[in-house]
Amino acid sequence: MNALVNPTVIRDSVLQEQLNLLASIEPTDVGFLSCYLDLHQGKQKALADFAAMQEAVRQDLSESERVDFAHALKMTADIIETLPAETRSVAIFCRGILGGQFFLSLPLAVQMNSHLSFDQVPDLLPLVNLSLEQGQYLVATVTQSWMQLLQVDLGVVSEKSWSTLPRRIETDEFSYHLSSNSGTGSRRSPLVTQIGLLEQSLSSHPDACLVLNCDQFIFSQVRAVLPERFRDRLVTLPQWIDNSDQYQLLEHSLQAVNMYRLKQAGSMAGQVLGRIGSSGDAVVGIEASLEVLHGGLAKTLVLVNNPGADDSAVVPGNPANAFAEVLRLAIVNHVPVFLLPANHELGRLGGVGCIISNDVIAAQMAARQYHGPLDLVA
């Protein structure tokens, strides 16, 4: 039996490892149970929700499927009572012995909506969505005299650094300068040390964005000093928030991060739609995206966050949900995934789109040049 039980709430790095593990599971004839439980109102409420969801799923199963379902349910119920006290939700994945017994529990410090499914492959969309919305990011509060840097990782908050400036700084419309009675103060910004700490943190967390809680003048200084490769990962808050109210600071920071992610996804979707008819290095729709992903040709995947998208495509292995297979293949092939709101215009085109790797396009052009036309991608 493949059984993994995490003793404490997990971080995003562990979530990525487990996503890769779950995505590697090939479809079989034996159903795979995916259970997401909201625990913030207590385990008894969660167990009641669990029982209600069971009945909704069971009524659509055949007799043989109900045997596998019952086995998976027993494995799931047993683990709920043993979860860490700080768990606000849990994701549980399991399959009975006939399909090659498997069990994995992921206790989380963030709240997730309760959901239960029983399909040929694990339901990974809620986990991908969670990682994009509440995965690792940084929050820096910067003032004229001190800086605090927090790391937020799937709801777990830790202080990375706290530093004070050697002297108070004053502003003019052009630059910061040291307050000094000597009249010979340096024009070098005392923020350079603090910005250096931010640069180190961004370097060591390559997928994290940085929320800056500061006034507009300090933001302009940080942006000017940071290397250009980090600037597109800066996120601002509408107004400065006193960091003594950490709950409010983190709530506003999370909202800002989600807006940043949505903007990223919207920009990527625009590239997909713009390239379909021009450069030809993009495809839309379930079937075309599956072909590109199966061929290892995808550079980026964009999905409308709506599992009800076109599920009618013919999928190798015949998983029940073609949308789930697209997502699974993207994770297996380490293709970056961007999620769009359900009302995005891509939804009218199947809800799925891929940008094809430039390396693949170059190889096709070379093949045409030396060997004549070669249609590798529709």
Side-chain angles (χ1 to χ4, degrees):
M1 175 180 174
N2 187 351
L4 295 171
V5 179
N6 291 276
T8 186
V9 291
I10 66 167
R11 308 297 195 269
D12 194 51
S13 59
V14 174
L15 177 57
Q16 298 308 314
E17 293 172 359
Q18 304 302 356
L19 272 171
N20 288 329
L21 171 65
L22 290 165
S24 69
I25 297 171
E26 296 285 348
T28 70
D29 292 334
V30 177
F32 204 106
L33 185 108
S34 303
C35 177
Y36 296 89
L37 277 182
D38 177 7
L39 292 159
H40 87 284
Q41 295 185 31
K43 291 180 180 178
Q44 292 306 312
K45 174 65 166 61
L47 287 169
D49 292 342
F50 182 50
M53 291 188 298
Q54 292 175 36
E55 292 306 314
V57 173
R58 184 182 288 109
Q59 63 186 6
D60 294 327
L61 301 179
S62 67
E63 287 301 319
S64 61
E65 288 173 330
R66 290 185 181 188
V67 174
D68 298 324
F69 185 57
H71 189 192
L73 288 174
K74 178 64 168 61
M75 296 165 65
T76 302
D78 288 345
I79 200 63
I80 293 174
E81 293 294 340
T82 68
L83 292 170
E86 65 269 30
T87 305
R88 290 181 59 80
S89 63
V90 63
I92 300 174
F93 303 90
C94 57
R95 183 171 58 193
I97 192 168
L98 293 179
Q101 198 167 31
F102 180 96
F103 184 87
L104 171 66
S105 72
L106 301 175
L108 298 158
V110 291
Q111 186 178 337
M112 294 188 74
N113 293 328
S114 294
H115 171 68
L116 187 71
S117 66
F118 192 64
D119 293 310
Q120 290 173 298
V121 293
D123 179 10
L124 302 182
L125 181 62
L127 283 186
V128 172
N129 198 33
L130 175 67
S131 180
L132 290 174
E133 288 187 350
Q134 301 199 51
Q136 195 175 89
Y137 59 94
L138 304 166
V139 180
T141 298
V142 186
T143 74
Q144 292 185 9
S145 55
W146 53 264
M147 181 185 81
Q148 180 193 43
L149 180 62
L150 303 175
Q151 176 183 301
V152 186
D153 194 339
L154 288 183
V156 179
V157 182
S158 56
E159 188 174 270
K160 302 299 290 183
S161 68
W162 177 285
S163 60
T164 56
L165 300 180
R167 311 176 200 181
R168 177 176 172 79
I169 54 178
E170 297 175 353
T171 65
D172 58 29
E173 62 180 311
F174 301 108
S175 65
Y176 281 95
H177 61 84
L178 290 173
S179 298
S180 172
N181 293 328
S182 66
T184 58
S186 169
R187 298 293 293 179
R188 182 173 183 265
S189 168
L191 281 173
V192 168
T193 299
Q194 280 67 23
I195 295 172
L197 292 174
L198 298 180
E199 181 179 344
Q200 291 174 20
S201 295
L202 286 167
S203 295
S204 59
H205 302 88
D207 297 322
C209 60
L210 170 63
V211 179
L212 279 176
N213 179 32
C214 62
D215 63 39
Q216 188 57 43
F217 195 91
I218 292 178
F219 177 81
S220 66
Q221 291 287 307
V222 173
R223 184 173 176 82
V225 175
L226 269 181
E228 186 174 355
R229 66 184 183 277
F230 295 131
R231 292 174 190 169
D232 64 351
R233 291 162 59 190
L234 296 180
V235 179
T236 57
L237 294 176
Q239 60 185 26
W240 186 83
I241 298 173
D242 188 340
N243 75 322
S244 63
D245 187 350
Q246 191 175 89
Y247 177 81
Q248 184 182 23
L249 173 61
L250 293 175
E251 281 291 302
H252 282 79
S253 295
L254 179 58
Q255 293 173 13
V257 169
N258 286 336
M259 290 298 295
Y260 168 79
R261 300 294 188 200
L262 281 175
K263 185 177 179 180
Q264 274 190 318
S267 175
M268 196 58 62
Q271 291 186 44
V272 170
L273 295 173
R275 293 183 182 190
I276 295 171
S278 56
S279 57
D281 58 348
V283 298
V284 294
I286 290 280
E287 292 189 24
S289 297
L290 279 170
E291 183 179 352
V292 168
L293 286 162
H294 273 293
L297 311 178
K299 179 182 179 181
T300 305
L301 175 69
V302 182
L303 295 174
V304 171
N305 197 352
N306 175 18
D310 178 18
D311 286 341
S312 62
V314 177
V315 181
N318 193 34
N321 189 334
F323 189 94
E325 179 68 355
V326 166
L327 187 59
R328 187 185 76 82
L329 287 172
I331 297 171
V332 167
N333 294 327
H334 305 291
V335 176
V337 177
F338 295 85
L339 291 179
L340 297 160
N343 61 353
H344 193 275
E345 61 181 308
L346 186 63
R348 298 195 300 270
L349 299 172
V352 182
C354 286
I355 293 178
I356 302 169
S357 170
N358 290 332
D359 293 340
V360 173
I361 300 297
Q364 290 184 14
M365 293 177 64
R368 291 190 183 100
Q369 180 177 356
Y370 292 106
H371 303 291
L374 181 62
D375 293 330
L376 296 180
V377 181

